[in-house]
Amino acid sequence: MHVDLKKELTTSGRGRLGLAVFLLMVLIALFAPLLAGHDPVDQSRFAFQSPSLSHWLGTNHVGQDIWSQLVYGARTSLLVGLSVALLSTLLSALVGASAALIGGLYDSIIMRLVDALIVIPVLLVLILVAAYLQPSLWVLIILLSLLGWQGGARIVRAQALSLKERTHVSAARCFGGSRLYLIWRHILPDLSPILLVEFIYSMRRAVFMEAGLAFLGIADPNMVSWGMMMREALDFSYLNVWLWWLLPAGAALSLTIVSVTFVGYTLEPAMEPRLRGEVYA
Amino acid sequence: MFSRRNLVTYAIALLLVLAFNFLLPRMMPGDPLMAIYGEEALVQMTPELKANLVERFALDQPMWQQFGAYFGALFRGDLGYSYYYNAPAFEVILGRLPWTLLLVGLSLVLSTLLGIVLGIESGWRRGSKTDRSMLAGLMALNGFPDFFIGMVLLLVFGVTLGIFPLAGALTPYSGLSGGALLLDVLKHLALPLAALTLAHIAGAYLLTRNTMITVVKEPYMLTARAKGLSQRVMKYRHAGRNSMLPVITRTGLWLGRVVTGALFVEIVFSYPGLGYLAYEALLARDYPIIEGVLLVVALFVLVANFLADLSYPKLDPRVSYAR
């Protein structure tokens, strides 16, 4: 499992395209205050303005500048995506690797729990939780992470199980390597491509879920979100404002998810073909 | 033959859902009655009703007795009472269930079939221009959230062109029957179905294509060619049938995803299924309905997974020999 991920990514046209678009989104999110031109939550009495030089994408129903909202929406989307990906990949690695290395009863209990979590409709659980507490951004990130690690844990466990039996690991053990040394020096580095792909798919799922939940009205009221913009714009579908309100928000969201997907699919053949089916989430 | 391990998994999943439903409202600070029944209940609350409800859910008893009361009620098909709809939650959910079943069922069948056919065609000519453009196109389609696809369809075909109705599942008070009624239902179904199907083709397509690529290299394909079979027979009967198998095992898992997608699509089109119901309940803080929808959908997904487990050995005899 020694794979040159960088080469894999830069030789594929789709991978390069995905990476370029994603980096562009990151730049937009980072430099949002410079690009926006208006405060995204500043209301004005000029509602439903058509696109003009001062409002590139016009204004919405309460007179907020849509272009600025779009730019700040990238921040929310990527912040949630990256944080959830980091947390849930960490959880997947911890749970999956520990199950594989400890084995026995612990392994079977954990894996039953993982399988059960995989079949539960997570979105409805989130709706139920959100009906009780209006989650802030960080609560949302934690909730999404807690409900998003199970698929990855299974993949990490399968990989760790096979790595454990590889000859170079046995050799290191023969030379008296301690358990921690083996994990740190041999197992973790070989898990890293899988963890990277898992990270990318978690991010994709999180960006999608954040937008979906915001579309349902489950969002931090202090943050601008593409899902929320789409929800608000849909209520005015009888006006032609959707052309510069709904479509750009949906396009930005789709572009982000497609770019992440392209990067993910490009890296995937680098992993064990046996696992291919598992990662299509 | 089905594996006992899977049954244990489904039992744990069901218990987890029940635990969510039981614990969440009872862990909330403040009045548990409010947390169990929702805001609407407080408006109608009288001392007698309150005493009645406390007794019914054993709220003055220790936790384990409360769980017993909760479980007993579930067994009688009592999912609680919705004060928003003024009807038992079970009845409200049952009334909405057929629409979701119709939407999810048809979309699952259509997206799986289309995905398999496209996957077979694509994998058969791997590396060709058709294959490459199909792959790129469907991967991109996979990135579009289902509710956005729904909105675009709604805005183009509903609002701008006016071909399809904008909301609902039936024309209200139309008094239609027979063929006209069927046509009306189909017309309302068309856009949500198209949105959901488009959003879910990619899963079956990618999996079929991947398997197809490995299957065409099998020795039996060479034998088939040597026998002089036609391209079509080789492609569909020999390679295609084997490439379908991984898709079938995943139908159960996909179902969960399609149901989730249906929730969003229903909201976009105000389609009166479980998703729209859950959304209305979320806005009204009508907790018994949300919990009921969660339970019903979870049961539905678990049963479908179980059925997929049962059907798999019938499709691939190798599985039953292996056990």
Side-chain angles (χ1 to χ4, degrees):
Chain A
M1 273 284 306
H2 293 283
V3 191
D4 189 352
L5 290 173
K6 214 171 96 197
K7 195 177 142 222
E8 200 79 45
L9 199 57
T10 43
T11 48
S12 143
R14 255 198 306 279
R16 274 206 303 262
L17 183 69
L19 200 60
V21 172
F22 181 70
L23 289 179
L24 182 71
M25 287 292 173
V26 172
L27 285 180
I28 290 177
L30 282 177
F31 296 106
L34 294 177
L35 294 165
H38 293 267
D39 189 323
V41 288
D42 235 6
Q43 304 190 357
S44 72
R45 60 201 168 81
F46 304 107
F48 294 125
Q49 302 256 314
S50 300
S52 64
L53 273 179
S54 64
H55 298 288
W56 291 1
L57 291 172
T59 57
N60 68 7
H61 60 309
V62 287
Q64 294 163 328
D65 181 52
I66 294 175
W67 166 252
S68 308
Q69 291 211 315
L70 196 68
V71 167
Y72 274 91
R75 279 197 164 182
T76 313
S77 221
L78 292 181
L79 184 63
V80 171
L82 290 169
S83 322
V84 172
L86 195 66
L87 276 177
S88 66
T89 308
L90 214 63
L91 271 173
S92 303
L94 269 175
V95 175
S98 67
L101 297 177
I102 296 173
L105 188 65
Y106 173 77
D107 183 31
S108 13
I109 291 176
I110 291 287
M111 285 338 271
R112 286 293 74 70
L113 182 70
V114 164
D115 286 344
L117 275 174
I118 286 177
V119 282
I120 286 181
V122 169
L123 181 81
L124 280 165
V125 176
L126 280 169
I127 290 182
L128 182 63
V129 175
Y132 283 107
L133 37 117
Q134 183 76 30
S136 68
L137 190 73
W138 292 105
V139 172
L140 187 70
I141 286 173
I142 289 169
L143 277 177
L144 284 174
S145 309
L146 284 180
L147 291 167
W149 56 274
Q150 57 273 40
R154 207 192 215 177
I155 297 168
V156 169
R157 173 181 170 271
Q159 188 62 26
L161 271 181
S162 93
L163 284 177
K164 193 166 81 160
E165 306 302 329
R166 299 282 166 92
T167 41
H168 66 279
V169 179
S170 313
R173 198 184 299 140
C174 284
F175 286 125
S178 72
R179 190 182 272 224
L180 271 179
Y181 172 83
L182 291 179
I183 293 174
W184 185 249
R185 190 75 184 80
H186 291 285
I187 304 215
L188 265 185
D190 278 0
L191 275 178
S192 57
I194 285 214
L195 292 180
L196 179 67
V197 175
E198 186 45 38
F199 181 86
I200 291 168
Y201 283 107
S202 310
M203 181 157 68
R204 186 191 122 100
R205 217 167 24 231
V207 169
F208 175 81
M209 286 291 252
E210 187 277 329
L213 290 171
F215 174 70
L216 301 180
I218 302 169
D220 194 322
N222 302 316
M223 302 291 282
V224 182
S225 160
W226 289 334
M228 204 158 62
M229 289 172 72
M230 291 162 87
R231 159 83 274 170
E232 289 168 352
L234 191 64
D235 290 339
F236 300 97
S237 58
Y238 49 88
L239 299 170
N240 61 351
V241 291
W242 57 269
L243 272 173
W244 52 81
W245 188 2
L246 200 156
L247 285 190
L253 173 64
S254 307
L255 209 58
T256 308
I257 301 181
V258 170
S259 72
V260 176
T261 312
F262 275 11
V263 174
Y265 283 149
T266 312
L267 293 181
E268 202 170 295
M271 313 210 318
E272 294 243 318
R274 195 159 57 78
L275 297 172
R276 265 184 191 171
E278 302 283 341
V279 256
Y280 286 144
Chain B
M1 255 312 278
F2 53 87
S3 83
R4 188 172 295 159
R5 209 180 72 168
N6 283 348
L7 273 185
V8 174
T9 300
Y10 300 149
I12 296 175
L14 193 59
L15 271 178
L16 275 178
V17 168
L18 287 179
F20 278 129
N21 277 349
F22 174 77
L23 286 175
L24 266 178
R26 286 165 181 81
M27 275 174 4
M28 285 300 125
D31 187 355
L33 268 184
M34 149 95 182
I36 293 172
Y37 282 101
E39 279 160 14
E40 200 69 26
L42 286 197
V43 182
Q44 305 178 17
M45 197 62 77
T46 60
E48 301 89 73
L49 181 64
K50 190 169 177 173
N52 184 356
L53 291 180
V54 166
E55 201 215 305
R56 180 136 153 227
F57 276 84
L59 289 180
D60 46 357
Q61 308 287 323
M63 209 58 151
W64 59 272
Q65 277 186 356
Q66 287 189 33
F67 192 69
Y70 171 76
F71 222 72
L74 275 186
F75 263 107
R76 292 191 300 273
D78 179 4
L79 293 179
Y81 193 85
S82 161
Y83 284 88
Y84 182 70
Y85 290 97
N86 247 324
F90 189 60
E91 241 170 57
V92 178
I93 291 169
L94 219 57
R96 301 291 193 97
L97 188 62
W99 295 115
T100 297
L101 284 182
L102 183 70
L103 182 61
V104 168
L106 275 179
S107 155
L108 193 67
V109 171
L110 272 180
S111 60
T112 310
L113 279 181
L114 277 172
I116 287 175
V117 171
L118 290 180
I120 289 175
E121 291 295 336
S122 194
W124 187 252
R125 334 151 209 240
R126 181 189 191 183
S128 71
K129 217 172 164 189
T130 336
D131 173 45
R132 282 210 308 266
S133 43
M134 256 206 272
L135 187 63
L138 279 158
M139 269 188 192
L141 189 65
N142 204 11
F144 283 76
D146 23 36
F147 54 96
F148 183 51
I149 300 181
M151 285 181 208
V152 171
L153 291 180
L154 178 79
L155 290 169
V156 173
F157 294 99
V159 176
T160 310
L161 298 176
I163 306 174
F164 292 103
L166 301 180
L170 289 168
T171 310
Y173 313 113
S174 60
L176 296 172
S177 63
L181 180 70
L182 186 69
L183 198 69
D184 192 45
V185 168
L186 287 179
K187 244 184 152 172
H188 282 85
L189 184 67
L191 289 183
L193 183 63
L196 201 52
T197 306
L198 280 176
H200 290 275
I201 284 183
Y205 163 79
L206 289 169
L207 199 52
T208 312
R209 180 179 173 275
N210 271 356
T211 330
M212 191 73 182
I213 286 168
T214 53
V215 165
V216 288
K217 292 185 198 130
E218 297 279 345
Y220 59 73
M221 292 306 293
L222 193 64
T223 314
R225 189 187 301 263
K227 283 199 302 190
L229 293 180
S230 74
Q231 285 272 326
R232 202 173 53 82
V233 172
M234 274 170 63
K235 193 159 57 178
Y236 281 92
R237 198 171 301 162
H238 289 243
R241 202 173 147 190
N242 283 301
S243 307
M244 275 169 55
L245 291 169
V247 178
I248 306 289
T249 35
R250 280 191 207 284
T251 317
L253 282 183
W254 265 324
L255 183 79
R257 217 163 292 151
V258 177
V259 170
T260 306
L263 300 183
F264 286 119
V265 170
E266 281 177 9
I267 294 162
V268 172
F269 291 95
S270 313
Y271 201 76
L274 291 182
Y276 194 53
L277 180 67
Y279 178 59
E280 289 174 318
L282 172 70
L283 295 183
R285 299 283 183 263
D286 190 356
Y287 303 120
I289 294 280
I290 307 181
E291 289 163 16
V293 171
L294 171 61
L295 185 63
V296 168
V297 169
L299 263 179
F300 180 58
V301 172
L302 293 181
V303 169
N305 270 291
F306 178 65
L307 291 179
D309 291 348
L310 284 185
S311 73
Y312 191 58
K314 292 209 170 58
L315 287 165
D316 189 0
R318 283 172 301 187
V319 173
S320 36
Y321 293 143
R323 284 231 174 82

